[in-house]
Amino acid sequence: MKLNFWSGVYGTIIGNTFSYYTIGLAGLFIGLGEIIGGGIFGVLGNYTNRWGRDPVVLLGMLTHFVSFLLIFYNLPDAAIHGYVDDAYGQLFHPSSLYIAMVCAFLLGFGDACY
């Protein structure tokens, strides 16, 4: 379900909230999060073998919780249905592109943790 969200729905919401040029930027940050996460866990493989997989999976779960909460507060609800004129989220007024890109990075990093 989360893969369906960040591969299809999140890009649509980003494009309808800001502009269609930011969809590729969100994909770039998702990929960057996956690369950095994979690199960290590849280099620190000895530590993950010693402690097991549970802390890494819990880190991914926490990362996704924070990311989904920020997405909920940052992006408007109506953005999935079409372009919104007043890009006001639940908490951040107006919606911030920087927070959206941080959320994209966190989605990729959390996916690397899983």
Side-chain angles (χ1 to χ4, degrees), residues 40-102:
I40 287 173
F41 297 124
V43 169
L44 301 176
N46 294 333
Y47 294 111
T48 58
N49 286 338
R50 182 173 21 168
W51 292 327
R53 297 179 187 166
D54 294 338
V56 178
V57 172
L58 289 175
L59 176 65
M61 184 183 68
L62 180 68
T63 303
H64 274 124
F65 281 162
V66 169
S67 177
F68 289 138
L69 188 67
L70 284 174
I71 289 169
F72 176 72
Y73 285 140
N74 186 33
L75 299 175
D77 294 336
I80 192 66
H81 301 295
Y83 184 74
V84 290
D85 292 332
D86 53 347
Y88 291 108
Q90 300 290 329
L91 184 65
F92 302 108
H93 299 285
S95 297
S96 173
L97 180 64
Y98 298 111
I99 294 174
M101 294 305 123
V102 166

